[in-house]
Amino acid sequence: MKKILSGNEAVARGVYEASVHYASAYPGTPSTEILQNISTHDEIIAEWASNEKVALETVIGASIAGGRSFASMKHVGVNVAADPLFTFAYTGVTGGCVLVTADEPGMHSSQNEQDNRNYAKFAKIPMMEPSNSQESKDMIVDAYELSEEYNSVVLFRMTTRVCHSKGIVEFGNRKEVKLIPYEKKFDKYVAVPAIGRKLRHKVEERINRLKVYSETSKWNYEVDNNSTTGVISSGISYEYAKEAFGETVSYLKLGFTYPLPSKLISDFCDKYDKIFIIEENDPYIEDFVKILGKECIGKDLFPYTGEMTPDVIKKYALSQNLDGIELDEDLFVGRPPTFCSGCPHRGFFYELGKKRKQIIVAGDIGCYSLAVGEPYNMMDWLICMGASLSSGHGAQKILDLDPNNKKRIVSILGDSTFFHTGINSLINTVYNGGNTINVILDNRTTGMTGQQDNPGSGFKLQGDYSTILDIEAMVKAIGIKHVRRINPNDLELVKETINWALELDEASVIITDWPCVLKKKYREEDFGLYNDMWKTKDIVIEDKCTGCKICLKSGCPSLIFDPENKKVIIDSNTCVGCDVCLQICPFDAIVKEGLDE
Amino acid sequence: MSNSIKFVGVGGQGTILAAKIMCAVLINAGYDVKMSEIHGMSQRNGSVSSEVRYGEKVYSPVIEKGSADILISFEQMEAARNMDYLKKGGILIVNNHKINSMITLNGKTPYPKNIIESIRGKAKTYIIDAQKYANELGNVKVVNLIMLGALSKILDSRHLDWEKAIKESVKPRFLDINLKAFSIGISQV
Ligand SMILES: Cc1ncc(C[n+]2csc(CCOP(=O)(O)OP(=O)(O)O)c2C)c(N)n1
């Protein structure tokens, strides 16, 4: 059978064909859809983990217990999972294990552009890099064979364009793989120093065996086009190179990229007058080629950042510029992403932003990161998931060294981010006597990455109900004395609560409690909690609207200012009746539909 | 030789579905096809795009600046924003419709005037009143199928099995209205 699949869907298919028993992940663009697609197969246990470290650890346990296991995450997620990864690299596996890292050259939706190929070398584990959807499926199946044969987790490196582009995939058959009965293996899995020292030698032996494998791996091959120029490439860059150079050059296509094949590369370099290395992000292949003592053209010529799309290759290697149709730039203005109509983050940021000069906002990663932009401009920094609470604590300690300090840190994160790594940070704040204001925007879902379920949403990935983590009880258990849980759409309450927190000189937690408009699944009891959720609409009474535009400060995309008659209208197709604008309007010109008589 | 069609619009307009149907039709017709899209913020009222490339053999899934044969835009300003992707001599198909962005919403920066007039002379342009006809059909969501209908005609691809691909891509209860929308699109060119 043939189907058009994205790289992510193809990986999921491969995982199914390889008879993987257990899969875990934490969402993150561009990796998220992998586990979502895996979860459609009843044969596989698929679970959202609370963070990437947890995901990898559950998968390690599954492998030790004798199952084939799988984890996927975005590139920065591997940083979170790095601790277990580096020791799992020593112990090796029982059931085969693959870890997908989804990197983001060009940073389409990420905070950095780290090249996770370096992790393979760093952790001393084999690595594969598919170039397209077909390879994404086929290589996964093979990765499990390699993992079991060479006794190692395999790092499977994808990039945004491999994950999210679709291509035609020829399916294979599912090969039934039995569980390996559990046996205690003290010398393999108990990584105390005495055993670690022994394992260290095994790792070296493994790398040496893999070096031999790499020379003849079917994923590393030459395409001889009888040319004078040779191109060495891997991943999506190989497809770009083929598009740009066609058959005017010969290729060394590398799919098994740690350890790299020295002899294959040396021999290839010797055959051609000129060698181009086409790769995104770091000079990973290039450095290796240079260590082999071969001349090549890489980052000296090509940009060190961004994607190596065919236009980039043509521009730098062939001095060809593709001219598009030019247009006056004033024919378009930006269209940045915004909080959705009815987003529960809106009310909170609207109130927080009002004349509160003493506030410094320690931000975090989630939909609420959109508050960095117009009309809120509400974030002083944003580092990584969970960092709001801890970086806020450190900053407040420094600010408070000034005896006259009036500045207060407000640390803000979402529910999923709180479960991810925020909890540790909050424990630290309490333990060290911090006095920050900590806001948990609980919208009952992992919004930014597409509404995945999480420990607070009420559902597991494969559909069943789950325990709903009680954030309020947990925060109190940690030792926070001042906790309030509020409806963020009630602006008076939000204002009063922020003022309450500002008056305290101990750490406080504000939990805003209202679901994401895009949350997909609800439990019966949820409807009791959130009155008239999304059932109403707000409208503008035209005569009363003075055109003052104050409501537009809410940043709601349903509010449209008509420059002709100088009044605001509410788009009834998108308004869900959150009432934030209604409360903001100083002239009572906005009312609930049906109550306007 | 491969062909490149870039679909652009605003999150929620159904550009991705239109591109998917296009892909299905091309695959059934025996082409090698690649499609690329950047996910992420698409549900948050931001600009979105999907790219379809097809031919005997396709390598790169992305369309670079100056290399789209056809730019099909579901919104006026997005057409202007993406004109530089169109190759010289390429074709523009644009939905005659404006959607404000957060920046134009507050009235400080106006939505640019005369977009259609300005782009018309730059490429062979088809202006489709998709929004109007979708409203007449009673469902704005079918703008994408109207645009796709127009595209199918412009591509001279009426002999391909569009109906099958549409059937496989939309919910059964919306099939009728989508097929209607598709044929309205055809009649607009
Ligand atoms: C280590 C790491 N893992 C995953 C991501 C991807 N990511 C960005 S925001 C986000 C979820 C945010 O969810 P939540 O905190 O609930 O906020 P919401 O978007 O719902 O407002 C995720 C998973 C990331 N940036 N970093």
Side-chain angles (χ1 to χ4, degrees):
Chain A
M1 190 167 77
K2 272 188 186 173
K3 252 180 139 173
I4 183 159
L5 298 185
S6 68
N8 283 349
E9 291 165 335
V11 165
R13 173 70 202 181
V15 162
Y16 169 77
E17 287 180 12
S19 240
V20 168
H21 304 99
Y22 179 88
S24 178
Y26 182 72
T29 313
S31 70
T32 312
E33 301 81 11
I34 300 177
L35 191 71
Q36 286 171 327
N37 281 287
I38 291 175
S39 75
T40 61
H41 296 289
D42 293 337
E43 296 87 345
I44 308 170
I45 304 170
E47 297 177 344
W48 288 128
S50 46
N51 70 32
E52 292 87 353
K53 176 176 185 286
V54 172
L56 183 59
E57 288 160 349
T58 59
V59 156
I60 291 172
S63 167
I64 292 175
R68 282 193 163 184
S69 65
F70 173 89
S72 54
M73 51 200 62
K74 74 183 279 149
H75 61 338
V76 289
V78 181
N79 301 336
V80 180
D83 194 9
L85 178 64
F86 278 67
T87 299
F88 190 38
Y90 274 35
T91 65
V93 303
T94 299
C97 185
V98 174
L99 166 62
V100 168
T101 171
D103 293 9
E104 278 239 303
M107 298 177 266
H108 296 283
S109 18
S110 299
Q111 65 268 45
N112 78 20
E113 200 183 37
Q114 66 185 57
D115 187 334
N116 279 7
R117 291 179 299 176
N118 296 306
Y119 266 117
K121 192 176 171 197
F122 195 5
K124 304 180 195 301
I125 52 176
M127 169 165 65
M128 301 173 97
E129 279 183 78
S131 297
N132 53 45
S133 296
Q134 183 72 56
E135 282 188 357
S136 296
K137 179 194 83 64
D138 294 344
M139 277 191 185
I140 279 283
V141 176
D142 201 36
Y144 279 93
E145 302 299 324
L146 291 173
S147 171
E148 287 167 3
E149 188 177 338
Y150 290 90
N151 187 20
S152 174
V153 56
V154 173
L155 186 67
F156 198 83
R157 194 251 191 172
M158 302 172 79
T159 55
T160 311
R161 299 292 188 173
V162 177
C163 291
H164 284 171
S165 314
K166 291 180 186 249
I168 298 172
V169 177
E170 178 89 52
F171 285 16
N173 293 325
R174 176 177 158 92
K175 173 187 147 189
E176 278 307 324
V177 176
K178 294 234 155 48
L179 295 172
I180 301 165
Y182 178 72
E183 259 177 76
K184 182 169 173 176
K185 292 179 193 151
F186 185 81
D187 285 346
K188 179 171 164 65
Y189 284 122
V190 183
V192 292
I195 291 174
R197 275 176 228 124
K198 285 186 196 142
L199 293 174
R200 176 67 186 83
H201 296 297
K202 292 205 165 159
V203 169
E204 211 61 16
E205 277 165 34
R206 177 176 77 205
I207 291 292
N208 287 334
R209 285 201 298 140
L210 283 164
K211 281 181 182 163
V212 177
Y213 163 78
S214 186
E215 299 290 347
T216 54
S217 167
K218 65 176 169 187
W219 306 113
N220 296 335
Y221 58 86
E222 199 177 325
V223 180
D224 190 346
N225 285 325
N226 204 5
S227 60
T228 53
T229 301
V231 166
I232 308 179
S233 190
S234 70
I236 192 73
S237 304
Y238 174 67
E239 304 282 350
Y240 294 155
K242 283 207 114 174
E243 191 75 41
F245 294 116
E247 292 181 0
T248 63
V249 302
S250 300
Y251 299 91
L252 180 59
K253 147 82 161 125
L254 300 175
F256 184 86
T257 47
Y258 189 76
L260 284 163
S262 320
K263 183 161 182 325
L264 200 60
I265 292 176
S266 285
D267 291 352
F268 184 81
C269 291
D270 291 344
K271 276 194 353 208
Y272 301 94
D273 300 344
K274 188 152 102 182
I275 296 287
F276 284 119
I277 312 290
I278 307 290
E279 61 187 325
E280 290 173 332
N281 290 0
D282 291 349
Y284 172 84
I285 300 173
E286 180 183 344
D287 285 351
F288 186 81
V289 171
K290 287 184 171 159
I291 288 170
L292 291 175
K294 304 294 172 191
E295 268 177 42
C296 64
I297 303 167
K299 298 291 169 189
D300 292 341
L301 179 67
F302 299 110
Y304 54 84
T305 179
E307 296 183 289
M308 282 287 269
T309 42
D311 53 330
V312 176
I313 300 174
K314 284 179 193 161
K315 178 170 169 195
Y316 289 95
L318 305 171
S319 308
Q320 288 174 11
N321 278 311
L322 286 171
D323 294 326
I325 289 169
E326 276 172 32
L327 215 58
D328 257 359
E329 295 232 333
D330 52 348
L331 281 175
F332 49 93
V333 299
R335 195 185 291 280
T338 61
F339 289 148
C340 304
S341 300
C343 175
H345 300 340
R346 170 169 291 108
F348 184 80
F349 281 105
Y350 174 77
E351 274 306 329
L352 187 67
K354 278 200 327 203
K355 296 189 223 102
R356 296 185 193 279
K357 290 259 181 296
Q358 81 273 40
I359 278 177
I360 294 175
V361 177
D364 218 306
I365 305 192
C367 282
Y368 41 87
S369 305
L370 299 175
V372 295
E374 289 288 346
Y376 315 99
N377 303 313
M378 272 271 49
M379 223 151 259
D380 286 68
W381 63 81
L382 187 166
I383 308 291
C384 68
M385 286 191 73
S388 54
L389 305 187
S390 27
S391 62
H393 170 73
Q396 188 75 65
K397 287 274 169 176
I398 291 298
L399 294 171
D400 287 348
L401 291 177
D402 173 357
N404 300 319
N405 176 49
K406 297 237 155 37
K407 295 231 177 273
R408 292 297 301 275
I409 301 279
V410 182
S411 296
I412 304 179
L413 44 52
D415 49 332
S416 191
T417 304
F418 180 65
F419 306 142
H420 179 274
T421 36
I423 291 172
N424 307 300
S425 304
L426 193 62
I427 292 173
N428 178 72
T429 301
V430 175
Y431 171 58
N432 290 302
N435 58 347
T436 45
I437 298 165
N438 302 280
V439 182
I440 304 170
L441 301 170
D442 181 12
N443 61 0
R444 305 287 312 280
T445 191
T446 311
M448 183 60 130
T449 42
Q451 296 81 43
Q452 290 76 31
D453 283 303
N454 69 36
S457 75
F459 294 89
K460 292 190 279 194
L461 172 58
Q462 283 173 316
D464 314 333
Y465 281 11
S466 71
T467 313
I468 299 176
L469 192 151
D470 183 341
I471 299 178
E472 192 176 343
M474 160 159 234
V475 161
K476 285 181 178 156
I478 286 173
I480 295 278
K481 283 184 270 178
H482 312 282
V483 185
R484 281 204 190 176
R485 187 183 180 119
I486 58 168
N487 174 356
N489 297 326
D490 182 341
L491 297 189
E492 199 49 49
L493 181 62
V494 174
K495 181 160 115 194
E496 194 258 318
T497 306
I498 295 171
N499 289 340
W500 160 81
L502 283 168
E503 291 301 313
L504 298 165
D505 50 16
E506 288 184 311
S508 60
V509 167
I510 300 171
I511 305 163
T512 68
D513 183 8
W514 196 266
C516 169
V517 232
L518 303 172
K519 179 174 160 72
K520 290 173 184 144
K521 288 181 280 182
Y522 285 98
R523 305 232 309 229
E524 259 324 302
E525 59 258 44
D526 292 334
F527 294 101
L529 292 174
Y530 310 109
N531 257 345
D532 281 343
M533 180 173 54
W534 327 134
K535 283 201 197 123
T536 64
K537 293 199 184 300
D538 296 317
I539 53 168
V540 177
I541 303 173
E542 207 185 318
D543 292 346
K544 284 196 179 176
C545 178
T546 65
C548 70
K549 297 202 255 185
I550 289 178
C551 60
L552 299 177
K553 293 212 169 95
S554 71
C556 179
S558 292
L559 298 173
I560 301 164
F561 183 75
D562 178 355
E564 248 107 82
N565 76 357
K566 304 231 178 310
K567 288 189 192 288
V568 168
I569 45 171
I570 295 179
D571 180 353
S572 66
N573 286 318
T574 55
C575 173
V576 291
C578 76
D579 294 350
V580 166
C581 60
L582 180 154
Q583 297 164 76
I584 293 173
C585 176
F587 300 99
D588 297 331
I590 303 178
V591 294
K592 266 236 179 295
E593 192 179 42
L595 301 177
D596 49 328
E597 303 309 314
Chain B
M1 264 307 284
S2 45
N3 297 289
S4 302
I5 305 176
K6 189 168 168 89
F7 293 73
V8 302
V10 178
Q13 282 194 299
T15 45
I16 292 181
L17 182 70
K20 276 187 182 157
I21 295 173
M22 176 89 234
C23 284
V25 169
L26 293 165
I27 290 169
N28 289 339
Y31 289 103
D32 187 23
V33 181
K34 282 194 177 164
M35 174 180 161
S36 168
E37 63 205 29
I38 292 297
H39 297 221
M41 307 279 197
S42 54
Q43 277 169 312
R44 318 284 183 288
N45 310 296
S47 306
V48 292
S49 86
S50 300
E51 303 171 357
V52 175
R53 304 197 65 230
Y54 65 100
E56 212 171 300
K57 177 82 191 141
V58 179
Y59 297 107
S60 165
V62 303
I63 300 175
E64 313 111 72
K65 296 214 159 140
S67 66
D69 298 285
I70 296 181
L71 175 67
I72 173 163
S73 178
F74 290 30
E75 201 272 346
Q76 287 187 13
M77 192 162 73
E78 294 311 310
R81 189 190 316 288
N82 289 288
M83 277 301 273
D84 55 349
Y85 280 89
L86 201 54
K87 68 160 72 138
K88 299 226 160 91
I91 293 173
L92 170 71
I93 312 172
V94 55
N95 178 16
N96 195 9
H97 181 59
K98 298 174 189 171
I99 301 177
N100 279 290
S101 84
M102 206 66 243
I103 292 170
T104 57
L105 264 182
N106 61 23
K108 259 187 247 160
T109 309
Y111 189 98
K113 287 209 166 72
N114 307 328
I115 293 179
I116 295 285
E117 292 73 4
S118 315
I119 52 185
R120 215 179 207 148
K122 302 272 184 179
K124 187 167 168 64
T125 303
Y126 294 89
I127 294 155
I128 311 292
D129 277 319
Q131 210 72 23
K132 186 180 116 199
Y133 290 108
N135 275 325
E136 280 176 24
L137 283 174
N139 189 342
V140 287
K141 293 231 156 109
V142 299
V143 161
N144 56 357
L145 266 289
I146 297 177
M147 295 300 288
L148 202 58
L151 176 65
S152 76
K153 179 87 179 288
I154 290 162
L155 280 172
D156 219 358
S157 64
R158 294 293 306 128
H159 56 287
L160 302 181
D161 199 347
W162 287 88
E163 201 171 312
K164 175 169 180 247
I166 295 170
K167 223 180 234 161
E168 285 166 2
S169 311
V170 306
K171 291 208 178 94
R173 65 194 168 101
F174 293 118
L175 180 62
D176 255 5
I177 186 167
N178 276 296
L179 288 174
K180 259 188 215 146
F182 186 74
S183 53
I184 290 176
I186 294 169
S187 68
Q188 294 308 301
V189 177

